[in-house]
Amino acid sequence: MKGTNIMKIQGKARELPDAGMKNSVCLSLTDLGTHVDEKFGNIRRELMLTFELEDRNSEGKRFVVSKFYTQSTHKKSNLRKDLEGWKGKISDREAKELELESLLGEGAYLNTQLNDNGNIKIASISPLPANIEKLKPENDMVCFSIDDWPENEDLFESFSPFLKEKIQSSKEWEEIKKDTPETAAVPF
């Protein structure tokens, strides 16, 4: 079937879209919390942008692809580079004032490639060409911030085990668990 590849991950077959330029829509923005970057030894707040592709799997559902970022709009950050590739040049002031939630539902033209593990990655993000119609998302758009806990607990419970584990390994999650009645010390 055109538009799909089968890849085995941990012994399970997983369907992937073909690499190449893809019409997409920004589907979710997920705050992953603060983590220690083991490669560089620094602490950083992370986020994940997820896009719904026009390509469909063998069940007729649209593929989704995600990219992880440090929550920084500094000139040298990967997030800033992708935002400028997608939305055009932005000033430092505009970058600081940017509400990332405004990206939800926005069309994008993704350059997707296979990574070293054979999985699909987003190599770059561009604006949609004028001759390509913006997609309407078929899945629910999601904006999750760990700072909104526990109001968004139901949304958190809908996440994949991988995404839950990533959020649960954050500094913010440690603070949440300290403050929950099950883990708080009994005052005697």
Side-chain angles (χ1 to χ4, degrees):
M1 171 179 204
K2 184 177 179 343
T4 60
N5 294 307
I6 304 296
M7 175 183 170
K8 281 200 168 188
I9 298 176
Q10 296 177 348
K12 295 181 183 177
R14 184 171 147 210
E15 205 172 354
L16 299 172
D18 288 335
M21 298 303 292
K22 306 290 180 184
N23 184 4
S24 70
V25 61
C26 185
L27 189 64
S28 72
L29 169 67
T30 308
D31 173 13
L32 303 171
T34 304
H35 299 268
V36 175
D37 181 345
E38 294 180 17
K39 183 177 180 183
F40 297 106
N42 56 1
I43 297 171
R44 62 187 192 169
R45 186 81 179 240
E46 298 177 1
L47 69 90
M48 180 181 75
L49 281 178
T50 301
F51 294 85
E52 184 178 85
L53 304 180
E54 186 172 35
D55 297 4
R56 296 182 182 276
N57 64 21
S58 60
E59 296 175 358
K61 296 180 182 176
R62 286 188 178 161
F63 286 106
V64 294
V65 294
S66 300
K67 187 167 182 178
F68 294 85
Y69 297 94
T70 298
Q71 282 190 30
S72 170
T73 54
H74 184 273
K75 287 179 190 176
K76 294 183 179 181
S77 73
N78 289 329
L79 178 59
R80 174 83 169 260
K81 290 174 188 173
D82 279 350
L83 287 172
E84 289 187 341
W86 183 10
K87 297 296 187 183
K89 187 86 172 143
I90 54 177
S91 69
D92 289 342
R93 192 182 106 247
E94 290 170 324
K96 285 181 182 179
E97 294 173 358
L98 179 68
E99 294 289 333
L100 292 175
E101 295 86 3
S102 68
L103 300 173
L104 293 174
E106 289 292 319
Y109 207 49
L110 304 181
N111 178 12
T112 61
Q113 300 174 348
L114 290 176
N115 66 15
D116 293 339
N117 298 325
N119 207 345
I120 290 291
K121 70 174 185 174
I122 298 171
S124 63
I125 306 174
S126 303
L128 285 175
N131 63 336
I132 294 183
E133 187 176 333
K134 179 181 156 188
L135 293 178
K136 291 182 180 150
E138 293 182 351
N139 293 294
D140 292 336
M141 289 189 293
V142 172
C143 185
F144 175 86
S145 173
I146 197 166
D147 295 332
D148 295 336
W149 191 268
E151 292 81 18
N152 57 9
E153 186 173 0
D154 288 342
L155 179 58
F156 174 81
E157 291 303 326
S158 72
F159 292 161
S160 69
F162 169 80
L163 195 51
K164 285 181 186 177
E165 287 173 22
K166 181 71 173 173
I167 294 167
Q168 288 171 330
S169 68
S170 72
K171 181 184 118 204
E172 290 78 8
W173 189 265
E174 290 175 22
E175 292 300 315
I176 288 168
K177 288 300 145 194
K178 280 184 194 175
D179 295 338
T180 58
E182 305 92 56
T183 59
V186 178
F188 284 108

